[in-house]
Amino acid sequence: MKLTSKGRYAVMALVDLARFDNISPVSLRDISLRQGISLDYLEQIFSKLRKKEIVKSVRGTQGGYVLNKKTKEIKLTIIFDAVDEKVKTVQCKKESKKGCNGKLTKCVTHNLWDDLDKHINNFFEQKSLEDLVKNNIEKRI
Amino acid sequence: MKLTSKGRYAVMALVDLARFDNISPVSLRDISLRQGISLDYLEQIFSKLRKKEIVKSVRGTQGGYVLNKKTKEIKLTIIFDAVDEKVKTVQCKKESKKGCNGKLTKCVTHNLWDDLDKHINNFFEQKSLEDLVKNNIEKRI
DNA sequence: TGATACTTGACTATTTTAGTCAGGTTTATA
DNA sequence: TATAAACCTGACTAAAATAGTCAAGTATCA
């Protein structure tokens, strides 16, 4: 049970962006250096974030990225969704009218995984970028 | 963010076992047929469960497996632990004295992942096999 | 003593992940 | 208007993890 580094990097990069974008756009190069994430990989990630309107890009010299929403509104849910980090702990097959395990019933643990997904998503829906930035400033990390 | 099928199968098989083992040992062959899990794979999983004393084996004809603890005591935590299903959503590197991201500090999201792991583990520590079996009987799945 | 069932360990195809690489296009500013 | 900084896109790939399979046992009950 792991989170992919794409999801993790997306959050790290956005926290970084949230802390610096009040002055001017933040270049991916800067984020790359500060967070230790490959520039090429960051570009892939930000392309997705831009499509979901979480960030805006500013082109040209001195350009970069800016947040496109308030930090309070950017919940982890929408970040993970943007970079295809799915919280689907178990994929029960939906073959025609069959349930999981190839039979007509649901598998014995079906409800359990549903509950688990809800539990995790609940966490992601509550945490916003604002929380993370605050947490960082408070603890002076 | 996915659970491996090893973890899922382990839980499915144990729920199955919990429902049938009051009469006599349950053979893996039966579980395999009822739950649609490969027999060979089940053997790997039960070998691990036995080492952690979650189940006992009964050899010979009419043999099989029996639960080695009360269903109430078998929490998801110990099941996942037994089959190496780790809830470590993010692996921050621990290189000598360096933090994650190769710097001297913790990465900006370090505390977040710790919180997430706690949140998920909390769920697993509360759910027991008893809960799952009850849920199954009530809903007649 | 044979059938049943557990036990072990090696092996492997497939999929996913975590990037890299190459070759663009756009735009601010000197 | 040239140029460098920065974004943008898509194809490619090595390595790791996953989800099993396969083979060859050993133990024990009837």
Side-chain angles (χ1 to χ4, degrees):
Chain A
M1 181 133 203
K2 269 190 302 188
L3 214 66
T4 66
S5 67
K6 192 171 261 179
R8 189 180 59 144
Y9 288 167
V11 176
M12 286 171 71
L14 284 173
V15 171
D16 187 287
L17 187 54
R19 292 170 73 188
F20 291 94
D21 89 334
N22 13 19
I23 305 135
S24 59
V26 180
S27 73
L28 292 190
R29 186 178 147 74
D30 287 352
I31 296 179
S32 165
L33 291 173
R34 277 195 296 259
Q35 303 301 327
I37 305 169
S38 130
L39 179 59
D40 282 321
Y41 207 24
L42 272 180
E43 282 174 353
Q44 277 183 45
I45 292 167
F46 271 77
S47 167
K48 287 166 189 267
L49 294 176
R50 198 179 57 81
K51 277 175 194 151
K52 294 285 183 173
E53 301 183 334
I54 296 169
V55 297
K56 265 187 307 209
S57 70
V58 179
R59 302 193 133 205
T61 317
Q62 305 302 321
Y65 283 95
V66 184
L67 287 181
N68 199 17
K69 292 178 193 289
K70 288 177 185 163
T71 52
K72 203 175 192 171
E73 289 164 9
I74 305 182
K75 308 290 186 187
L76 289 196
T77 319
I78 68 166
I79 301 176
F80 286 150
D81 180 58
V83 297
D84 304 313
E85 178 79 58
K86 297 265 181 13
V87 178
K88 198 82 199 75
T89 49
V90 162
Q91 194 62 25
C92 281
K93 293 161 204 156
K94 287 175 190 166
E95 302 166 12
S96 60
K97 287 172 189 167
K98 285 183 183 174
C100 355
N101 65 14
K103 300 183 183 171
L104 287 171
T105 57
K106 287 187 193 172
C107 69
V108 289
T109 50
H110 194 101
N111 298 318
L112 172 67
W113 313 125
D114 279 354
D115 288 351
L116 175 57
D117 286 355
K118 275 181 206 154
H119 186 76
I120 297 174
N121 275 312
N122 189 44
F123 181 88
F124 290 152
E125 271 158 25
Q126 283 178 355
K127 287 271 179 185
S128 72
L129 211 52
E130 188 184 44
D131 300 330
L132 299 178
V133 174
K134 266 189 192 164
N135 185 283
N136 259 273
I137 291 168
E138 276 166 19
K139 304 205 175 172
R140 298 229 163 61
I141 294 175
Chain B
M1 182 132 200
K2 268 190 302 187
L3 215 67
T4 66
S5 67
K6 192 171 261 180
R8 190 180 59 142
Y9 288 167
V11 177
M12 285 172 72
L14 284 174
V15 171
D16 187 287
L17 187 54
R19 291 170 73 189
F20 291 94
D21 89 334
N22 12 19
I23 305 136
S24 58
V26 180
S27 72
L28 292 190
R29 186 178 147 74
D30 287 352
I31 296 179
S32 166
L33 292 173
R34 277 196 296 260
Q35 303 300 328
I37 304 169
S38 130
L39 180 59
D40 282 322
Y41 207 23
L42 271 179
E43 282 172 351
Q44 275 184 47
I45 292 167
F46 271 77
S47 167
K48 287 165 189 267
L49 293 176
R50 197 179 59 81
K51 277 174 193 153
K52 293 286 183 172
E53 301 182 334
I54 296 169
V55 296
K56 265 186 307 206
S57 70
V58 178
R59 301 193 135 204
T61 317
Q62 305 302 320
Y65 282 95
V66 184
L67 288 181
N68 198 18
K69 291 177 193 291
K70 288 178 185 161
T71 52
K72 202 174 192 171
E73 289 164 9
I74 304 180
K75 308 290 187 188
L76 289 196
T77 319
I78 69 166
I79 301 176
F80 286 150
D81 180 57
V83 297
D84 304 312
E85 178 79 59
K86 297 265 180 15
V87 179
K88 199 81 198 76
T89 49
V90 162
Q91 194 62 26
C92 282
K93 293 162 203 155
K94 288 176 190 167
E95 302 165 10
S96 59
K97 286 172 190 167
K98 285 184 184 174
C100 354
N101 66 12
K103 299 183 183 171
L104 287 171
T105 56
K106 285 187 193 172
C107 69
V108 288
T109 50
H110 195 100
N111 298 317
L112 171 67
W113 312 125
D114 279 354
D115 288 351
L116 174 57
D117 286 355
K118 276 181 206 152
H119 186 76
I120 297 175
N121 275 311
N122 191 43
F123 180 88
F124 290 153
E125 272 159 25
Q126 283 178 356
K127 287 271 179 186
S128 73
L129 211 51
E130 187 184 43
D131 299 331
L132 298 178
V133 175
K134 266 189 194 164
N135 185 283
N136 260 274
I137 293 169
E138 276 166 19
K139 304 205 176 174
R140 297 229 162 60
I141 295 176

